Amino acid sequence: MAGQSHRNPGLILAALVLAACGSGAPNAGSSGLPTEAAGATEPTPAVSPTSALPTSPEPSATISHDDRIVASIAVDRGPCAMASDETAVWITSFLTGQVDRIDPNTNTVVDRITVGGSPCGIAIGPDGRVWVAELTAGAILAIDPATKEITGRIDSVGPQLWDLKAGFGSIWAVDRDSDRLLRIDPTTATVTSSIKIGPNGSGLAIMSATVWVSDDTDGLIRRLDPTTNLFGAPLDIGGSPSWFADDGSRLLVVARRTSGSTLSVDPLTGALGADVDGWKQPLDGTIVEHSAWIPDGIAGTVVVMDLPTNTVGATVALPGAINPFVAERARGDVWVLDFGGVTIWRIHP
């Protein structure tokens, strides 16, 4: 969902409250992602802003490392994706149509911008504007952080925008409705390329020389050359590769949502590592130094994968977690968003 973040994901995230951006009437299940109701074109949040939140999971005392959590920040309901710049951390709230601005020096919300609808994916563009995927309207918006005004808008996209990120001078979005990867010129706020992807595109990873797209149902991940907008041969890894964890450079891990495992990928050669188990439902993660931090949406934890040894290290319990979905890095820390609640945990790695 994801800088996504990744990243968002788009409509699947409504279902992550119960089980990750859009369906007609999602319910809890082992998949963690909704099945789409016949004929549904807009998301129906699994939890409305006025309904009661589900009971949070009970974390095991044997895996609690609360000393790592340096702040728990209350934001608006349904925090869906995160992006950061030099002065702020930006959070979309899927259930309330808000974008929250957090001051990372005080760990408090200092601004709340109303964009309406169901905002999810968010990224900082090369011009400093904050780009947001607004799912209900099927639009991508640009916000001027100085004036808090919407200064750019692209309509008739989505509404299933499962991820949105910035890179290579562009804004990228996975449009699941059209089975396309959209490349957007942030200067003109126009779609410059619409590139065919698989049947159910989901997560994005922007690496040093490539753009990666996962597909939630065909088991493939695809690598795009941003200089040509062409994909190479897809890699078949199976197990619902829904999201990525990455460092934006050379370290890339795929979260296989339904199999409860992850897989390292060399983003330049496409070489695959070995399966690593340790999650009930691995979701949208990040990489800090040589560790991948990947939320477990069912267990209410963040599982840390040591990349040099390709093993699971610590598992960090998140007090009161309902549905932790996204982990992003900012200011040297890991920030975890509880899509099922109102909390952002800031964790020292």
Side-chain angles (χ1 to χ4, degrees):
M1 289 204 178
Q4 215 142 259
S5 344
H6 218 124
R7 224 203 191 123
N8 348 217
L11 298 181
I12 56 171
L13 293 177
L16 275 176
V17 177
L18 295 178
C21 294
S23 75
N27 50 33
S30 61
S31 71
L33 297 178
T35 55
E36 295 169 24
T41 58
E42 293 186 356
T44 301
V47 176
S48 68
T50 58
S51 62
L53 290 170
T55 303
S56 65
E58 185 67 30
S60 167
T62 61
I63 58 173
S64 179
H65 295 268
D66 292 349
D67 57 313
R68 297 189 183 203
I69 299 176
V70 296
S72 297
I73 306 165
V75 294
D76 222 346
R77 296 193 49 150
C80 193
M82 168 183 151
S84 61
D85 55 27
E86 293 182 356
T87 63
V89 170
W90 301 84
I91 305 289
T92 51
S93 292
F94 185 78
L95 295 180
T96 62
Q98 309 287 345
V99 176
D100 281 354
R101 178 175 183 166
I102 296 173
D103 181 344
N105 295 314
T106 61
N107 294 321
T108 56
V109 175
V110 294
D111 274 319
R112 181 161 286 166
I113 302 169
T114 300
V115 297
S118 302
C120 188
I122 187 169
I124 308 299
D127 60 357
R129 287 190 294 176
V130 181
W131 289 80
V132 176
E134 202 282 86
L135 304 187
T136 305
I140 296 175
L141 315 173
I143 301 171
D144 184 331
T147 65
K148 297 183 283 186
E149 299 292 329
I150 295 174
T151 57
R153 183 183 181 96
I154 302 170
D155 289 303
S156 301
V157 292
Q160 293 202 75
L161 297 167
W162 274 42
D163 213 348
L164 181 145
K165 293 187 183 296
F168 304 105
S170 301
I171 305 298
W172 304 81
V174 174
D175 189 337
R176 193 173 172 105
D177 270 9
S178 64
D179 301 333
R180 298 278 172 171
L181 174 64
L182 306 180
R183 185 171 191 171
I184 296 165
D185 182 341
T187 302
T188 60
T190 57
V191 176
T192 57
S193 298
S194 179
I195 308 160
K196 179 67 175 176
I197 54 177
N200 287 291
S202 45
L204 278 173
I206 309 295
M207 306 304 289
S208 59
T210 50
V211 176
W212 288 81
V213 184
S214 61
D215 192 287
D216 195 62
T217 58
D218 72 3
L220 303 180
I221 56 175
R222 294 170 170 87
R223 175 178 52 183
L224 179 127
D225 182 344
T227 63
T228 63
N229 285 341
L230 296 176
F231 280 106
L235 301 179
D236 188 350
I237 65 170
S240 293
S242 302
W243 310 109
F244 294 104
D246 69 87
D247 66 351
S249 179
R250 280 300 315 271
L251 299 176
L252 181 66
V253 174
V254 186
R256 299 152 112 188
R257 176 181 49 79
T258 59
S259 66
S261 64
T262 63
L263 188 70
S264 297
V265 181
D266 186 316
L268 295 181
T269 68
L272 303 179
D275 288 349
V276 179
D277 298 320
W279 295 259
K280 294 180 179 178
Q281 186 192 59
L283 297 173
D284 194 348
T286 189
I287 293 177
V288 178
E289 295 182 347
H290 295 288
S291 295
W293 292 69
I294 302 177
D296 190 322
I298 292 177
T301 63
V302 178
V303 178
V304 185
M305 176 181 171
D306 182 68
L307 298 178
T309 62
N310 208 40
T311 59
V312 166
T315 300
V316 180
L318 304 171
I322 298 169
N323 199 178
F325 174 69
V326 175
E328 293 284 359
R329 61 188 181 277
R331 297 292 183 94
D333 292 334
V334 177
W335 303 59
V336 183
L337 285 61
D338 189 2
F339 182 75
V342 295
T343 303
I344 310 295
W345 294 275
R346 183 174 180 177
I347 307 171
H348 277 329

